[in-house]
Amino acid sequence: MADYFYVNKKILPDYLEKVLQAREMLDSREAATVTEATGRVGISRNTYYRYKDYVFRAKDPSRGQQAVLSLLLADQPGALAGVLTCLTDHRASILTISQAIPLASHASVLMSLDLSRLEGDLAKLMTDLEKLPCVKNLQLAGLE
């Protein structure tokens, strides 16, 4: 989780803010296509695609927070139960879980979480999840 920082946008290049603006235009349907959104904010499509999955707006913590985690678990009894126990220990509320059929001794799991009552921070939760022997890969797929 050391890959994530909170920084003031004043020290970042302005195109990162424009990537967020383009994504918000697409989400709100203010723009119909990536080409339209990027043209309106003044960045290239390449810039948008390069950074769209890596920049997020910080939210007011009093409004709660949601995260989407993508996990690759070992196909073994109790693997998902261990993950759920860790989430419960951190007081993360599970909104949705989607698990694929295990292939090659691994199962892909996508979870959306409500972090409004999280004990500690998201970095600590992810570190603790990564320590579980059944967790082979963990990625933060989204944060709102």
Side-chain angles (χ1 to χ4, degrees):
M1 196 56 194
D3 293 343
Y4 297 90
F5 300 98
Y6 279 104
V7 297
N8 189 310
K9 70 179 182 179
K10 291 179 183 178
I11 68 167
L12 298 174
D14 67 336
Y15 59 81
L16 294 178
E17 173 71 24
K18 292 178 180 186
V19 168
L20 291 170
Q21 291 171 352
R23 186 169 56 212
E24 289 164 355
M25 290 173 120
L26 291 164
D27 289 345
S28 69
R29 301 199 192 289
E30 188 179 332
T33 65
V34 171
T35 301
E36 179 185 354
T38 56
R40 289 173 60 183
V41 297
I43 58 172
S44 69
R45 288 171 31 109
N46 184 46
T47 298
Y48 175 78
Y49 283 114
R50 179 176 294 155
Y51 297 107
K52 74 177 182 69
D53 295 325
Y54 298 102
V55 292
F56 307 97
R57 290 203 189 278
K59 297 290 184 178
D60 178 358
S62 66
R63 292 181 46 213
Q65 192 174 38
Q66 293 180 1
V68 177
L69 301 181
S70 175
L71 300 101
L72 185 64
L73 303 180
D75 182 20
Q76 62 190 42
L80 185 58
V83 170
L84 298 178
T85 298
C86 183
L87 293 172
T88 300
D89 291 347
H90 284 270
R91 297 182 39 98
S93 297
I94 300 161
L95 301 173
T96 64
I97 298 177
S98 175
Q99 181 176 353
I101 295 172
L103 297 172
S105 302
H106 292 90
S108 177
V109 178
L110 191 64
M111 297 183 169
S112 61
L113 306 173
D114 177 356
L115 306 177
S116 60
R117 295 189 340 240
L118 188 68
E119 287 187 4
D121 59 17
L122 182 57
K124 174 69 172 137
L125 170 62
M126 291 187 66
T127 298
D128 288 352
L129 285 169
E130 288 174 328
K131 288 179 184 175
L132 296 174
C134 62
V135 176
K136 302 305 175 189
N137 192 346
L138 172 66
Q139 293 183 20
L140 179 63
L143 186 63
E144 183 168 327

